[in-house]
Structure formats: C-alpha cells, structure tokens
Amino acid sequence: MRKIVLGILVGVLLLAGLAALILGMFLDRAAQAGIQTIGSRLAQVSVEVRHVNLRPLSGSGRIEGLVVRNPAGFKTPAAIQVGAASLALRPGSLLADKLVVRSIHIQSPEVTFETDFKGNNLSRILSNLKSTGGAGEAGGADTSAPPRAGRKLQVDEFIISGAKLNVSVTPMGGQAITVPLPEIRLANLGQGPEGITPDQLAKKVMEAIEAEAIQASSGAIGDLTRNAADLGKELGKGLGKGGETVEKTAKGLGGLFKKK
C-alpha cells in the first residue's frame, strides 16, 4: 500500500513539474514576443530580446539581451542595451487579470545619449511612446497597427543600477564620452485596482532615464564643447571665419544642453 501511495505521489510531482515546465516555456515565448512586438510598436523603433526565462513556481524571471534601437537619423546603433534584467513576480498573478511584479532590476545597462542639435534620441523615443497614433516608419519596426494598452500591471519596485552613459554629438563627428549614470529607482507603480499598462510603465521608465541622462551628460558635453572651442581657436588662427564657426558651434551646443 505504501509503495502505491509513494508511486502516486511521485507521479503527481512529475506531472506538476512537467506542467510547470510547459507553462514556463509558454510564458517565456509569450513574454519575448510581447516585448518585441508591442515594444517596437510603442517606441516606433526596433526592440529585440534574445532570451526570456520565467519560473512560474518561484515567481522569478530573467530577461537577457534586450536592445532598443535608435530612431532613424541617429548614427549610434542603439539607445539602450541591457545584458540582463531580473524579475520577481507574485506567482499567483501570472494568469490573473493583473500581473503583480514585486521587482524589476536592470543591471549594468548601456545607454546612449545622442544629440543632432534638433533633439536627442531618448527624447525622440519618449515622444513616440507618448504619441497615440503609432504611425510612421521607425528603423524597420512594424507600426502598421496602433499600439494597444495591454495587460494591467503592478510594479512595486523598478531599479536600474550600474548603468553607463555614452554621450555622442553627431555634428561634432560622432565623438563620444562615457560617464556613469546614477541609479534610477521607481516605486509603487500601478497600485490599486486600475494598475498600470505596459505603455504607461515604458513612458515612466523612459522619462526617468532621459532626465538622468540629460543631467549626467552635462559634464561630458562641457568637455566636448571646450575641446571644440579650443580647436576652433586654433583653427581660427589659420582659417579665419572657419575657426569662428567651429567655436560658435561648440558654444551653441553647450547652450542647447543648458536649456534642457
């Protein structure tokens, strides 16, 4: 009798493990497709994800190889590159109407802030996220259909740590300076029954990234403009008005960021 009971228990555990494995694989594919498809439509740039691994029983997860490409017209290949991000979910909410995310932690991402005098790549993506039409070409992203709000979320904590910021100025030949980006921490997003949608979450995160990037880039921009101004003075000795143009360009760029 004992052997029969043990056999039944082992069989139940095996079936439960198999069910969890199948559910996890289904959720992994669904999450990866959702991030890439909906993310690309909302941001109007190509969003790519190499791998998603969700563990329904423990409520943990991991996203690897997330890349947010740049809008057309910018020279750098990507705005945001994430090697790995960890998730902590409430397991019981995976199939519920509202997914409860205890924490999202993005570790050591690489953010590129590129300006072309008319604006910058991060603000362009943020503007795309805020737009409601979702129309237009965007670096190969499929924008034929308008973005949809998606599932309700609750995110208790969203952390970006160890990030580095590449500051690039297109009109100055694509020179870049890398500086650290301060930790970004958002909390209590989507509390209450109404929750928060993926597009609303994306807007809040991009707003925080852009604000910190503008502030963190000011020193790097100062270095670039000072170097350009010095170069302009040297060139001015032999080029006359050409040197003045370079110096004015550098000063104008510095003014652009002071306004921000």
Side-chain angles (χ1 to χ4, degrees):
M1 183 65 179
R2 173 182 266 179
K3 290 182 178 180
I4 294 175
V5 172
L6 287 175
I8 292 173
L9 288 175
V10 170
V12 169
L13 290 174
L14 287 174
L15 288 174
L18 180 60
L21 178 62
I22 293 173
L23 178 61
M25 292 175 63
F26 169 78
L27 291 173
D28 290 350
R29 288 195 295 269
Q32 183 176 8
I35 293 171
Q36 293 184 149
T37 303
I38 304 304
S40 296
R41 287 179 180 173
L42 291 173
Q44 299 179 43
V45 297
S46 177
V47 177
E48 306 156 15
V49 180
R50 186 175 69 248
H51 182 65
V52 176
N53 181 20
L54 297 177
R55 298 175 181 173
L57 294 181
S58 65
S60 62
R62 186 176 174 87
I63 298 173
E64 298 176 353
L66 171 65
V67 179
V68 180
R69 297 294 177 185
N70 266 328
F74 291 95
K75 303 301 181 182
T76 50
I80 301 172
Q81 299 180 74
V82 177
S86 58
L87 311 173
L89 315 170
R90 181 189 292 173
S93 69
L94 278 169
L95 299 178
D97 292 336
K98 181 180 178 182
L99 176 63
V100 178
V101 183
R102 296 300 188 194
S103 70
I104 300 175
H105 187 187
I106 297 178
Q107 299 114 13
S108 304
E110 187 171 338
V111 179
T112 297
F113 182 92
E114 180 183 346
T115 180
D116 61 356
F117 283 116
K118 299 176 183 178
N120 66 74
N121 59 332
L122 299 182
S123 64
R124 183 81 60 82
I125 293 173
L126 179 58
S127 178
N128 291 342
L129 289 170
K130 290 180 176 179
S131 69
T132 56
E137 293 297 324
D142 178 13
T143 58
S144 58
R148 52 190 177 88
R151 188 180 182 187
K152 291 181 180 179
L153 302 172
Q154 175 181 313
V155 181
D156 296 338
E157 189 175 56
F158 195 112
I159 303 171
I160 300 175
S161 64
K164 65 178 182 179
L165 180 69
N166 300 318
V167 183
S168 178
V169 181
T170 307
M172 293 173 63
Q175 297 181 63
I177 292 181
T178 300
V179 296
L181 195 65
E183 181 178 270
I184 295 173
R185 187 180 293 264
L186 305 174
N188 301 322
L189 304 174
Q191 300 289 325
E194 69 283 357
I196 188 173
T197 57
D199 58 319
Q200 292 170 339
L201 176 63
K203 291 172 193 173
K204 287 184 177 294
V205 172
M206 184 55 70
E207 284 173 347
I209 291 175
E210 188 204 21
E212 291 293 346
I214 289 174
Q215 186 171 352
S217 67
S218 60
I221 291 296
D223 291 340
L224 285 171
T225 54
R226 277 193 296 272
N227 291 341
D230 291 341
L231 177 61
K233 290 177 181 178
E234 292 299 320
L235 290 174
K237 295 176 182 178
L239 298 179
K241 292 183 179 180
E244 293 177 5
T245 300
V246 175
E247 186 173 356
K248 287 180 180 179
T249 299
K251 290 180 178 178
L253 182 60
L256 173 66
F257 280 85
K258 287 178 182 178
K259 290 178 183 179
K260 288 285 187 178

